[in-house]
Amino acid sequence: MTTISTTENDPAYNPPPSAGALSRTEPDRNCPLCPRLAVFREAARAREPEWFNSPVSSFGDPDGRLLIVGLAPGLQGANRTGRPFTGDFAGDLLYATLLEYGFAKGIYRARPDDGLTLVDCQISNAVRCVPPQNKPLPAEINSCRPFLAATIETMPRLRAIVALGRVAHESTLKALGVRSSAAPFTHGAIHPAGNWKLYDSYHCSRYNTNTRVLTPEMFRSVFARVKTDLG
Ligand code: SF4
């Protein structure tokens, strides 16, 4: 484990976005900050008017000690249903794991009205709008970061952040004002800093699990460690 610092005297420190930029956790339904994603969103609304097709809000308990940061809504997952990781393969593995380790209760039925609740935990995304081919551009990740930073800022009891994949890891570090060279992404890595720790995991996508880059056991081991550390 490497310890990273967020103090201004540390060379790894980059100032996070200004307090003014941190004031809102959720974007407008028609957020215009990423023109490419806004066009993609409008096309999806025209094609699938019954789908959610808007920036997907965080889900869970803002008073929780755990924040999970994903990449972005999946086209037929959260972009369709309106709840993070709900309705596609990634959600099947994530919610099963959260239920197993007590970070969720109820039954996950891949629908936002399934009654599932999160326990001591909130889920968000580095990018709130669905990107083409699940690949947001660097400028889009930057544009959406203030919403992630605000989400982190408004979790007063936060102790653990699980970053699902490299993009979530890098954007979380930038939101926290930490240079990525101080905390390189590796599956299973734990980066302590002050009152919180950043836990890295490969993203629980179908591609990663089909190719065995990430096995369910590897994924569970991350949350087992979080559970142990939170006590
Ligand atoms: S990705 Fe974020 S910043 Fe970009 S348009 Fe969507 S909500 Fe706005």
Side-chain angles (χ1 to χ4, degrees):
M1 275 192 314
T2 56
T3 300
I4 53 181
S5 168
T6 56
T7 62
E8 293 187 26
N9 294 328
D10 190 287
Y13 179 79
N14 276 329
S18 68
L22 297 177
S23 58
R24 296 185 55 214
T25 58
E26 305 301 337
D28 294 336
R29 181 173 183 272
N30 295 310
C31 179
L33 295 177
C34 305
R36 185 184 74 125
L37 300 190
V39 168
F40 195 62
R41 195 172 60 206
E42 286 303 320
R45 286 176 181 170
R47 193 178 62 250
E48 301 286 355
E50 302 301 314
W51 289 11
F52 184 72
N53 294 321
S54 296
V56 175
S57 299
S58 303
F59 169 52
D61 181 7
D63 279 331
R65 292 178 298 165
L66 169 61
L67 174 66
I68 298 163
V69 182
L71 168 60
L75 180 63
Q76 298 191 41
N79 176 68
R80 175 174 60 85
T81 65
R83 192 176 73 179
F85 286 90
T86 298
D88 57 13
F89 177 86
D92 291 348
L93 179 54
L94 176 61
Y95 285 115
T97 306
L98 294 181
L99 285 162
E100 181 177 345
Y101 287 97
F103 291 116
K105 63 182 178 184
I107 299 175
Y108 173 67
R109 298 188 195 279
R111 298 164 28 166
D113 60 353
D114 57 12
L116 187 89
T117 56
L118 300 188
V119 179
D120 203 17
C121 171
Q122 185 166 220
I123 303 175
S124 194
N125 276 314
V127 173
R128 302 296 180 88
C129 293
V130 58
Q133 283 86 49
N134 291 327
K135 289 193 172 95
L137 301 174
E140 294 160 353
I141 300 167
N142 290 340
S143 292
C144 216
R145 187 171 307 113
F147 300 111
L148 173 62
T151 300
I152 293 171
E153 285 279 309
T154 52
M155 292 186 72
R157 299 175 65 238
L158 183 65
R159 293 293 176 271
I161 302 174
V162 173
L164 300 179
R166 189 179 298 274
V167 170
H169 167 95
E170 298 284 341
S171 198
T172 299
L173 287 181
K174 287 179 180 168
L176 293 167
V178 177
R179 288 196 185 121
S180 58
S181 58
F185 176 82
T186 312
H187 178 83
I190 304 171
H191 309 286
N195 286 336
W196 49 265
K197 293 178 182 172
L198 175 64
Y199 299 76
D200 290 341
S201 172
Y202 292 131
H203 193 282
C204 49
S205 65
R206 183 189 294 274
Y207 178 83
N208 279 349
T209 52
N210 280 353
T211 56
R212 306 286 289 174
V213 167
L214 178 72
T215 65
E217 294 72 28
M218 290 166 65
F219 197 58
R220 283 200 291 269
S221 71
V222 172
F223 287 90
R225 180 60 191 267
V226 171
K227 189 73 177 178
T228 299
D229 288 352
L230 290 179

